[in-house]
């Protein structure tokens, strides 16, 4: 078999089962692709020896008839997941040199299922960003290029993951999503990105950004692959107090393609002023696809949507300022060089000033401000109340019979790297306008590639599901995927 790195998880699983290839061959094909794709800067810590050892062990499992869902499948791992003995920096200088003595629950679940680790993937520092331009490793690059040849963002914060999957450097990758960091990069690169229900996947061992919003999920080439990978990632976990003790169903078995009678909501508040005509046309096209498959399309209202971005950008920085207080240069990671007479306060200040990039510093300061005594009620408490109202909007829509909600995934296609460098930070934050509500409400959401813009760049649609109904959500997404027939790939330039 040729071009093994271009296989899907499902395709590779079948080939491995039939003996048409081996995990070692699959892994070597991916490692070769990674070495040839340095221009994408997607992989920041490569682990070829670990990968080959895991691949050999996977081949033994397959030979013994002991293969699990992901056995032998080579994956890229976002740098936010702690991997035992392997650099885990959250793309931040402050964690330089940090090699955990433990494995995150998500990655351990994947290794138990037989998956193979190719290395760690680029991302925005501490997952704070929408373009992968805040990384201490330098930005990852989208394998798709603008019509004028300009380099494009792969999205953020899981930009290395989206770039690697779109360029066939790995069969799939892990991502995390705090306000859209799986779904937006997936839409920008023409792949599938699934954010599960909050609590479906353990957060233990995943470096925290905003603990009430963070959720890990799969970034894959197809909806079927997302179903397979989520089944391996998800579990209840005693080490995570927010982990939901709910059985993990067979998500792949839910992909029946039958959505007759399903109600799909179209929220009127997502029709933003100035929305590009091609995004609006794509949205209407997605609704028509679902209607043609037997679903009922209904208009719904999510009245508090307009408050979602401001609420998110109060809550997320507040939680970040608390979570990032642990990085002080005392126990691990960077410690700034001190001058004569410097005390411990100087060490904290210098280490954090050198270790955190400008965007992380900005969000920590915002978070500290909104949690301060004089502003806690005016900002943080008010944002929490708005969050409750946003969740209630979704609850009422689902109680009225809606099975899923269809929206655009992003307000535009991928934008050129550096194009927002001098812009108001709020402009960058607006990239999350369609995705943050899902995190605030703790719901599952998926981005599916559906079409291309006038430059030929990929565009995605988002489906938002009921809590812990990822199987139903994936089935509806598979219908959109099948109807859209999106098979475009970036022309190789790297």
């Amino acid at each position: 078999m040729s071009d093994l790195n271009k296989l899907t998880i499902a395709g590779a699983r079948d080939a491995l089962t039939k003996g048409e290839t081996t995990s070692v061959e699959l892994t070597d094909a991916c490692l070769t692709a990674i070495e040839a794709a340095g221009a994408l800067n997607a992989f920041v810590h490569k682990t070829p020896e670990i990968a080959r050892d895991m691949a050999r062990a996977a081949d033994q499992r397959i030979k013994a008839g002991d293969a699990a869902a992901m056995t032998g499948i080579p994956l890229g791992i976002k740098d936010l997941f702690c991997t035992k003995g392997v650099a885990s920096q959250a793309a931040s200088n402050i964690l330089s040199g940090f090699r955990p003595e433990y494995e995150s629950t998500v990655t351990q679940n994947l290794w138990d299922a037989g998956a193979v680790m190719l290395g760690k993937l680029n991302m925005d520092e501490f997952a704070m960003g929408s373009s992968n331009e805040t990384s201490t490793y330098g930005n990852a690059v989208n394998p798709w290029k603008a019509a004028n040849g300009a380099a494009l963002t792969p999205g953020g914060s899981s930009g290395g993951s989206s770039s690697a999957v779109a360029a066939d450097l790995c069969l799939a990758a892990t991502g995390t999503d705090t306000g859209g960091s799986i779904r937006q990069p997936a839409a920008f690169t023409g792949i599938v990105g699934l954010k599960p229900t909050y609590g479906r996947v353990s957060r233990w061992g995943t470096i925290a950004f905003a603990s009430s919003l963070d959720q890990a999920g799969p970034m894959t080439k197809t909806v079927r692959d997302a179903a397979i990978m989520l089944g391996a990632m998800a579990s209840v976990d005693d080490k995570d107090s927010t982990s939901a003790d709910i059985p993990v169903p067979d998500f792949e078995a839910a992909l029946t393609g039958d959505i007759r009678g399903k109600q799909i909501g179209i929220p009127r508040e997502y029709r933003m002023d100035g929305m590009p005509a091609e995004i609006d046309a794509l949205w209407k096209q997605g609704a028509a696809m679902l209607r043609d498959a037997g679903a009922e399309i209904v208009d719904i209202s999510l009245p508090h949507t307009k408050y979602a971005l401001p609420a998110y950008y109060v809550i997320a920085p507040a939680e970040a300022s608390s979570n990032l207080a642990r990085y002080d240069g005392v126990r691990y990671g960077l410690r700034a060089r001190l001058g004569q007479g410097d005390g411990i306060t100087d060490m904290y200040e210098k280490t954090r000033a050198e270790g955190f990039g400008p965007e992380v510093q900005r969000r920590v300061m915002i978070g500290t401000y909104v949690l301060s005594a004089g502003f806690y009620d005016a900002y943080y408490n008010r944002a929490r109340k708005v969050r409750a109202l946003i969740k209630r909007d979704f609850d009422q829509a689902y109680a009225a019979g809606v099975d899923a909600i269809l929206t655009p995934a992003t307000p535009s296609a991928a934008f050129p790297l550096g194009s927002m460098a001098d812009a108001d930070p709020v402009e960058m934050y607006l990239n999350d306008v369609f995705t943050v509500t899902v995190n605030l409400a703790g719901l599952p959401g998926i981005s599916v590639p559906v079409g291309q813009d006038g430059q030929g760049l990929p565009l995605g649609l988002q489906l938002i599901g009921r809590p812990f109904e990822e199987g139903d959500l994936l089935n509806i997404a598979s219908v959109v995927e099948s109807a859209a027939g999106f098979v475009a790939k970036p022309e190789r330039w790297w």
Side-chain angles (χ1 to χ4, degrees):
M1 296 181 72
S2 60
D3 292 334
L4 292 172
N5 54 304
K6 295 183 179 178
L7 289 172
T8 62
I9 293 174
R13 179 187 62 185
D14 294 345
L16 289 166
T17 302
K18 293 173 184 172
E20 294 171 350
T21 189
T22 65
S23 179
V24 169
E25 290 170 338
L26 267 177
T27 299
D28 280 339
C30 290
L31 291 171
T32 300
I34 292 165
E35 284 305 312
L40 296 178
N41 198 27
F43 276 87
V44 292
H45 299 291
K46 300 164 193 170
T47 57
E49 296 311 313
I50 291 172
R52 291 188 179 104
D53 286 346
M54 295 175 87
R56 284 189 282 268
D59 284 334
Q60 290 299 317
R61 280 183 73 170
I62 293 166
K63 195 175 290 186
D66 182 36
M70 296 285 291
T71 301
I73 305 298
L75 302 177
I77 303 299
K78 186 176 180 178
D79 196 38
L80 206 64
F81 294 87
C82 289
T83 44
K84 188 175 181 179
V86 176
S88 305
Q89 283 185 227
S92 180
N93 188 40
I94 206 161
L95 278 173
S96 56
F98 177 55
R99 294 174 184 269
E101 293 298 316
Y102 54 90
E103 194 78 36
S104 77
T105 298
V106 163
T107 50
Q108 189 62 59
N109 287 349
L110 288 167
W111 311 151
D112 290 346
V116 172
M117 179 172 72
L118 296 166
K120 303 298 281 292
L121 292 161
N122 209 345
M123 55 176 282
D124 280 293
E125 184 182 4
F126 280 102
M128 297 180 197
S130 301
S131 64
N132 212 140
E133 292 175 286
T134 68
S135 170
T136 192
Y137 312 118
N139 56 270
V141 180
N142 195 326
W144 296 81
K145 277 212 167 184
N148 64 2
L152 300 172
T153 176
S157 64
S158 307
S161 299
S162 63
S163 178
V165 175
D168 295 314
L169 310 187
C170 51
L171 271 60
T174 61
T176 63
D177 194 309
T178 305
S181 287
I182 286 174
R183 291 158 290 151
Q184 182 248 31
F188 278 2
T189 54
I191 66 170
V192 173
L194 172 65
K195 175 224 171 280
T197 311
Y198 184 79
R200 171 64 85 184
V201 176
S202 172
R203 293 182 300 106
W204 194 84
T206 307
I207 297 168
F209 165 13
S211 301
S212 75
L213 300 163
D214 299 343
Q215 190 64 185
M219 301 181 73
T220 60
K221 299 175 186 180
T222 67
V223 171
R224 182 170 297 276
D225 283 4
I228 296 168
M229 190 168 167
L230 178 62
M233 293 174 71
S235 67
V236 64
D237 184 6
D238 291 340
K239 297 191 288 293
D240 176 4
S241 63
T242 61
S243 172
D245 190 2
I246 292 176
V248 178
D250 184 341
F251 296 116
E252 190 180 9
L255 304 181
T256 63
D258 184 2
I259 62 166
R260 288 172 296 180
K262 296 286 184 186
Q263 267 196 21
I264 309 297
I266 306 292
R268 64 178 66 102
E269 289 80 10
Y270 280 57
R271 297 192 185 284
M272 304 289 181
D273 290 340
M275 180 188 288
E278 54 201 4
I279 299 285
D280 190 46
L282 191 80
W283 193 6
K284 289 173 180 170
Q285 181 188 344
M289 291 172 185
L290 292 167
R291 187 184 293 111
D292 290 345
E296 180 189 355
I297 307 299
V298 297
D299 286 328
I300 63 168
S301 177
L302 300 171
H304 294 92
T305 295
K306 64 182 176 182
Y307 304 114
L309 266 179
Y312 174 84
Y313 279 102
V314 169
I315 292 169
E319 295 187 12
S321 74
S322 176
N323 278 324
L324 271 58
R326 71 192 70 177
Y327 305 111
D328 53 16
V330 175
R331 289 155 293 178
Y332 48 78
L334 178 78
R335 179 182 295 183
R337 191 181 297 274
L338 301 180
Q340 191 170 3
D342 281 346
I344 192 164
T345 302
D346 300 298
M347 185 193 73
Y348 290 157
E349 290 176 353
K350 288 183 177 180
T351 297
R352 288 171 176 161
E354 292 176 24
F356 292 138
E359 181 61 26
V360 173
Q361 291 184 25
R362 177 187 291 121
R363 297 201 196 190
V364 167
M365 287 190 290
I366 291 169
T368 304
Y369 178 81
V370 301
L371 289 176
S372 61
F375 301 101
Y376 185 90
D377 283 331
Y379 290 102
Y380 184 65
N381 254 349
R382 185 171 294 183
R384 288 174 59 215
K385 290 172 183 175
V386 169
R387 179 181 189 171
L389 293 173
I390 289 166
K391 183 178 184 304
R392 191 178 70 183
D393 288 347
F394 282 103
D395 290 344
Q396 289 174 345
Y398 293 131
V402 168
D403 295 287
I405 294 166
L406 180 71
T407 79
T410 58
S412 70
F415 50 86
L417 286 161
S419 63
M420 298 225 185
D422 300 321
D424 183 330
V426 174
E427 261 191 71
M428 184 73 84
Y429 299 164
L430 287 171
N431 273 283
D432 302 328
V433 67
F434 297 124
T435 52
V436 296
T437 53
V438 180
N439 299 80
L440 289 168
L443 298 170
I446 187 168
S447 176
V448 182
V450 173
Q452 292 165 275
D453 73 355
Q455 291 193 66
L457 300 176
L459 296 170
L461 287 176
Q462 175 179 231
L463 283 157
I464 306 166
R466 295 168 176 264
F468 298 104
E469 293 290 347
E470 287 89 356
D472 196 34
L473 179 66
L474 284 158
N475 185 40
I476 297 168
S478 73
V479 170
V480 172
E481 176 186 58
S482 178
F486 184 93
V487 293
K489 296 287 288 184
E491 287 187 24
R492 188 187 166 97
W493 57 266
W494 57 91

